Amino acid sequence: MPQFQMRNTVERLDKPSSYAMSKYKKRKRTDDASTNPDERPASPSLEEKLSDATTLYVGNLSFYTTEEQIHELFSKSGEIKRLVMGLDRFNKTPCGFCFVEYYTHEDALDCLKYIGGTKLDERIIRTDLDEGFAEGRQYGRGKSGGQVRDEYREEFDPGRGGYGKRFEQEGYANEYGGGM
């Protein structure tokens, strides 16, 4: 009789996202190449940082979603300590993400389980554990000040400001009946 290996059908929710892991690996490579290990103590691994993380990154929000809407939804899984909206670096307007900090790690995990993947303002939101909010992370990293992914979007998305910035600048949006 063949041996069967039992395997989970659902991935663990408290593991790092692929984005967080790629960022951590890139940082680790540059640290290993540029510093002497005798000079400073080793920093904790990303898994160790996330094992008691209380902060969540929330993405794919509409540009028109308010702090009040986010607070109302996310407070259903625990008491919120702090809510930081992601802003366009130049215009200081919301750009589709935020950080939600809870008082306990268990509340953050409950939020991942029950709120991640639900709809808010007709958009399916995604949540990931985050190692913690630091000043400056609330701004978009794209060249136009918003999120990088919004610069290259070719389809019209009314919840995220229409066409992507690069798409509009190159004049393609006019060909498809939108843009400037």
Side-chain angles (χ1 to χ4, degrees), residues 23-125:
K23 186 173 99 172
Y24 174 72
K25 286 178 184 176
K26 187 184 298 183
R27 186 182 315 143
K28 188 170 166 96
R29 274 195 307 262
T30 57
D31 285 350
D32 289 344
S34 64
T35 63
N36 184 356
D38 297 329
E39 291 178 11
R40 67 176 188 191
S43 62
S45 70
L46 186 61
E47 287 85 4
E48 291 171 3
K49 288 180 182 177
L50 295 181
S51 67
D52 62 347
T54 59
T55 305
L56 293 175
Y57 168 85
V58 182
N60 200 34
L61 294 171
S62 168
F63 288 4
Y64 307 106
T65 302
T66 64
E67 284 187 46
E68 290 80 17
Q69 289 174 294
I70 294 168
H71 194 279
E72 182 180 338
L73 177 64
F74 284 81
S75 63
K76 294 178 192 281
S77 67
E79 190 175 353
I80 294 176
K81 183 177 183 180
R82 180 168 63 162
L83 174 63
V84 180
M85 292 293 288
L87 301 175
D88 183 295
R89 193 172 354 130
F90 304 122
N91 301 329
K92 306 297 187 259
T93 56
C95 67
F97 70 96
C98 73
F99 295 95
V100 179
E101 187 175 351
Y102 288 97
Y103 283 100
T104 66
H105 179 66
E106 289 73 26
D107 288 345
L109 289 179
D110 286 345
C111 180
L112 276 174
K113 282 186 229 174
Y114 303 120
I115 296 178
T118 61
K119 275 192 171 186
L120 179 63
D121 275 351
E122 301 300 317
R123 303 186 65 80
I124 297 174
I125 57 173

Side-chain angles (χ1 to χ4, degrees), residues 131-172:
E131 56 191 73
F133 173 76
E135 191 62 37
R137 289 188 65 201
Q138 75 266 33
Y139 299 115
R141 294 173 294 161
K143 289 180 182 175
S144 64
Q147 287 187 296
V148 175
R149 67 180 277 228
D150 289 324
E151 295 194 4
Y152 298 99
R153 184 180 55 249
E154 294 180 3
E155 67 279 351
F156 185 78
D157 187 348
R160 293 186 70 89
Y163 289 101
K165 301 289 184 204
R166 294 234 185 244
F167 195 66
E168 283 180 353
Q169 288 172 356
E170 293 173 5
Y172 296 118

